[in-house]
Amino acid sequence: MSLFSIFNVSGSAMSAQSQRLNVVASNLANADSATSANGEAYRAKQVVFEATPSANNASTGVKVQQVIEDPSPMRQVYDPKSPLADENGYVTMPNVNVVDEMVNMLSASRSYQNNVETMNAAKSMLLKTLTIGQ
């Protein structure tokens, strides 16, 4: 693996973590939305990553394979006065767990930062290499 492939690996990881952060932000923004654009309660979304080998198979990057809906059950809140309540008085709310999403956000943010530091370290090593012999 050459030093230059580090930029490809870290860049792909930063792109994937950025998409993960966007999904987390969407989940947090809709945590209390009883209805979404399709008229049903919002379903939490999760990012699925996929390893992507480089052209010479010397390194492996990562990309987002797909964004899936969380299959966990929806939250039921008893609110018989709500116009969205069913015949038993329950309103279906999103299956977003705010604590899990915050942990997911911190994990994605730290992963992004680690990849930035990796790229900066590789850049410093390359610049130092250029000064050899001066």
Side-chain angles (χ1 to χ4, degrees), residues 34 41 74-93:
M74 305 298 275
R75 242 179 339 132
Q76 298 289 322
V77 175
Y78 184 70
D79 186 8
K81 294 181 181 176
S82 171
L84 300 173
D86 62 7
E87 63 274 359
N88 297 324
Y90 287 96
V91 177
T92 303
M93 297 296 287

Side-chain angles (χ1 to χ4, degrees), residues 27 30-36 38-45 69-78 86 90-97:
N27 287 342
N30 291 298
D32 290 325
S33 301
T35 59
S36 63
N38 61 6
E40 297 177 0
Y42 177 81
R43 281 202 159 271
K45 298 190 175 21
E69 289 188 346
D70 189 346
S72 63
M74 305 298 275
R75 242 179 339 132
Q76 298 289 322
V77 175
Y78 184 70
D86 62 7
Y90 287 96
V91 177
T92 303
M93 297 296 287
N95 58 351
V96 176
N97 185 332

Side-chain angles (χ1 to χ4, degrees), residues 102-115:
M102 292 300 289
V103 170
N104 204 5
M105 181 179 68
L106 288 174
S107 174
S109 176
R110 296 295 279 168
S111 294
Y112 190 92
Q113 288 174 344
N114 287 337
N115 283 293

